[in-house]
Amino acid sequence: MGKRAIAFITALLISLPAAAEGTLSDNIVIDSQVLGYALQFRAYIPEGTKKDDALPVVFVSDGQWYISDGAMVDVLDREIAAGTLKPVIAIFVDSGEPGNPANNRRNDQFMCDPTYAQFYRDELIPTIEHAFPVSRAREDRLIMGLSFGGLNAACFGLMIPDSFGLIGMHSPASGKHLKLLADMYGDRETLPLKLFFSTGTRRDNTKEARKFHRVLKRKGYDVTYIEVPFSHDWDNWRPLVDDLLLTFFATNQ
């Protein structure tokens, strides 16, 4: 991330509004040496944030869709203002190429890609820690996503567990990928992870989702599991954005 981006973030923190709404930045570009190309993200900063805070941080795969289709910024504003959700900073990572969103890289990035995990561990997380007042504890760091993004979140839990202690999955991937996840989590030692996992019961991957959930419970994971009577779409995921966030960051925890 360049000096102009750092200056922009600094100005953003200084000029936070006194209203109940948080601030959503414009796109911020990060040039990844690990991946060999540029990515972009938008940052949500809750109202009242101070530069010496250490807030929990949410990394949102397919962030562009969680903003537009998932109305996640509205959810954050509403739940934080109501006092039900702790103030959190959210990093909405765009899976499209900066300036060319039609080139969506998610089908490569989200397939348990070790290079993409390295980008998060070695470049993105340190950049966010340098630029924003976030906690550096893995227990305060959530990776979440839908479909392939949910697969990516589950993979990160095993691939870089020192980076993420919290895993959020809305309808992770296909039945084939869920079977792979069940095998991967079943074969590995139980890690100190807390998970949220949801699926639909109509034209979603319900059968394999239930099997994966049984594996997680058998392994002793702290997992919140929800089934809803919807398909693999935003009618399923949008109403569960607050459920996912409150699983990890409710004020009564």
Side-chain angles (χ1 to χ4, degrees):
M1 187 165 57
K3 292 182 179 179
R4 273 190 291 180
I6 294 290
F8 171 79
I9 293 169
T10 302
L12 188 65
L13 288 170
I14 293 172
S15 61
L16 287 170
E21 294 83 13
T23 298
L24 181 66
S25 75
D26 293 331
N27 282 315
I28 300 169
V29 175
I30 175 171
D31 292 305
S32 171
Q33 300 301 308
V34 170
L35 294 170
Y37 55 79
L39 300 89
Q40 64 187 15
F41 63 87
R42 300 180 72 182
Y44 168 88
I45 305 172
E47 181 271 332
T49 300
K50 301 177 180 61
K51 286 194 283 186
D52 59 351
D53 282 339
L55 300 183
V57 58
V58 181
F59 288 84
V60 188
S61 303
D62 287 322
Q64 73 279 13
W65 294 340
Y66 272 97
I67 291 172
S68 60
D69 297 285
M72 187 167 165
V73 171
D74 292 338
V75 173
L76 288 162
D77 281 342
R78 182 183 70 241
E79 298 297 333
I80 292 172
T84 55
L85 181 71
K86 298 173 184 176
V88 300
I89 286 176
I91 306 301
F92 294 93
V93 184
D94 194 332
S95 52
E97 179 184 355
N100 182 24
N103 181 22
N104 195 318
R105 301 182 173 112
R106 70 193 302 270
N107 288 1
D108 296 322
Q109 293 172 342
F110 296 171
M111 297 295 127
C112 295
D113 180 9
T115 307
Y116 193 57
Q118 182 186 353
F119 158 69
Y120 262 77
R121 185 193 65 202
D122 296 346
E123 294 183 326
L124 183 58
I125 291 173
T127 294
I128 298 307
E129 290 179 341
H130 175 71
F132 295 97
V134 298
S135 169
R136 302 196 175 200
R138 61 180 295 280
E139 297 82 6
D140 292 330
R141 196 179 298 128
L142 165 66
I143 177 70
M144 61 176 282
L146 61 91
S147 194
F148 284 168
L151 167 67
N152 180 71
C155 291
F156 276 16
L158 295 181
M159 297 169 72
I160 46 173
D162 290 342
S163 296
F164 289 102
L166 310 174
I167 309 298
M169 302 170 282
H170 286 134
S171 297
S174 68
K176 177 182 72 175
H177 291 109
L178 279 165
K179 186 178 185 306
L180 290 173
L181 286 176
D183 291 342
M184 290 164 59
Y185 272 80
D187 291 341
R188 287 280 300 273
E189 63 180 273
T190 302
L191 297 170
L193 301 172
K194 183 175 182 179
L195 303 98
F196 174 96
F197 176 20
S198 70
T199 191
T201 58
R202 299 174 184 170
R203 296 183 299 279
D204 208 347
N205 303 299
T206 316
K207 182 179 178 181
E208 294 300 334
R210 289 171 177 170
K211 290 181 180 178
F212 182 33
H213 175 235
R214 288 197 293 271
V215 168
L216 292 173
K217 293 299 291 183
R218 175 172 56 82
K219 295 291 289 187
Y221 280 101
D222 180 354
V223 55
T224 297
Y225 178 71
I226 298 177
E227 291 184 5
V228 293
F230 296 102
S231 302
H232 197 82
D233 54 35
W234 278 106
D235 288 337
N236 172 343
W237 308 318
R238 189 182 304 107
L240 296 177
V241 171
D242 56 349
D243 295 82
L244 190 157
L245 292 170
L246 291 168
T247 294
F248 302 111
F249 303 123
T251 53
N252 60 5
Q253 291 181 4

